[in-house]
Amino acid sequence: MSGKDAGVKSGKGAGVKSGEGTGKDAKAGGARGRGVTAARRITAVRTKGGLSLRFDARATFVGLLLLAVALAAGIALIGSGDYPMTPGEVMATLTGGGDAGQQFIVQDLRLPRVLVGLLVGAAFGIAGAVFQTVSRNPLGSPDVLGFAQGSSVGALVVIVYFQGGTFAVAVGAVVGGVVTGLAIFLLAWKRGIHGYRFVLVGIGASAMLYAMVLYLMTKANIVEATRATTWMTGSLNGRDWDQVWPLAAVCAVLVPVVLLYGRPLRMLEMGDDAAYALGVRVDRVRLVALMAAVVLVASATAAAGPISFVALTAPQLARRLTRSPGPNLLPAALMGAVLLVAADWSSQRLFGADQLPVGVLTGVLGGGYLLWLLATERKAGRI
């Protein structure tokens, strides 16, 4: 081989290797840059006792922002009505000020309604996040999978056959929702609960339960049918402290339980095999989280009726805002509270003298969101 040829070959080889090395270095630098950017989003805090906490700065900021929006919307809702009040007057009344009339309007009439709205929205939001995480499907919502319909059947049985009062109807709704949840679990169980099987069984149960609702409506007289229709619409009208305290107790017990399972639920999104390898008891996590979510949905439905699409939209909107993987349980709960209170305020203020039940407004907006979601999933080739 001539020296020229050797030089050319050597130059070509060196050039190729040098180019490859440069490209690899650039890719590594880009990866390191992305790693630094991702690392900056995660903040670690070490306490004096040696406990280390890690949290996503963006998700924390979004959660605090949603909490502020929910409280602001609640204050605005308390101040709206036939006797309007400014935010300052509302805050003064809530802290013990105001005259006797303002105290009655705020403490006895409007505050319970707002608290029920916040609690119901939070319960639907966090339950929807659990269902969508376990099913690994954005359509895995309680009102799509039949749990809300099960609560409706339980409430209608009490109304039509027993002419029960408000408390009895609430108990019937809780029992109907829990029984429906157990039935869907049993039908979907086959060496564990698979996401798609769970969704398909839930959709089938929803169709059957809706048929039962129609049958019960045909058996009711005009008074019972009117009462049942009003309840099934979903509304916060006339809510008082009798609905606040039971729902608050359920949320106080079950929301922390669900939050404790936030990390295992996040691992479930990687698949059962990966979760098993990381030490997650998959079946136990699914069972506990789903049972807690079912009771939350049933209790929220008992307090305000089957308000649709909040559980479907809240988790997805929260995830889009936080841009964080995982179920985003707390942001989803706060987003649900914001959506429901804002929808209730809109239903009172945007339609003049004709106030709409909040379930009508969430149904219209949620239906539009569902159509958009289906079109997006179809375009992406996932359905």
Side-chain angles (χ1 to χ4, degrees), residues 29 76 88 91 133 164 195 208 283 328 353:
M91 292 299 299
T133 300
M208 295 176 62
D283 293 335
N328 289 272

Side-chain angles (χ1 to χ4, degrees), residues 111-191:
L111 181 59
R113 175 185 183 132
V114 172
L115 291 177
V116 169
L118 291 172
L119 292 171
V120 168
F124 278 138
I126 197 169
V130 171
F131 278 103
Q132 292 175 16
T133 300
V134 170
S135 64
R136 300 176 198 164
N137 193 319
L139 298 178
S141 173
D143 41 10
V144 176
L145 302 182
F147 295 92
Q149 288 82 354
S151 295
S152 299
V153 170
L156 288 181
V157 168
V158 174
I159 292 174
V160 174
Y161 289 108
F162 301 100
Q163 293 77 43
T166 302
F167 179 76
V169 171
V171 172
V174 172
V175 173
V178 172
V179 171
T180 300
L182 292 174
I184 292 177
F185 291 158
L186 293 176
L187 292 173
W189 186 274
K190 185 179 180 182
R191 296 189 297 273

Side-chain angles (χ1 to χ4, degrees), residues 10-36:
S10 174
K12 288 181 180 179
V16 170
K17 290 182 180 178
S18 175
E20 290 176 351
T22 303
K24 290 180 180 178
D25 291 340
K27 291 180 180 179
R32 285 195 297 270
R34 289 192 296 270
V36 171

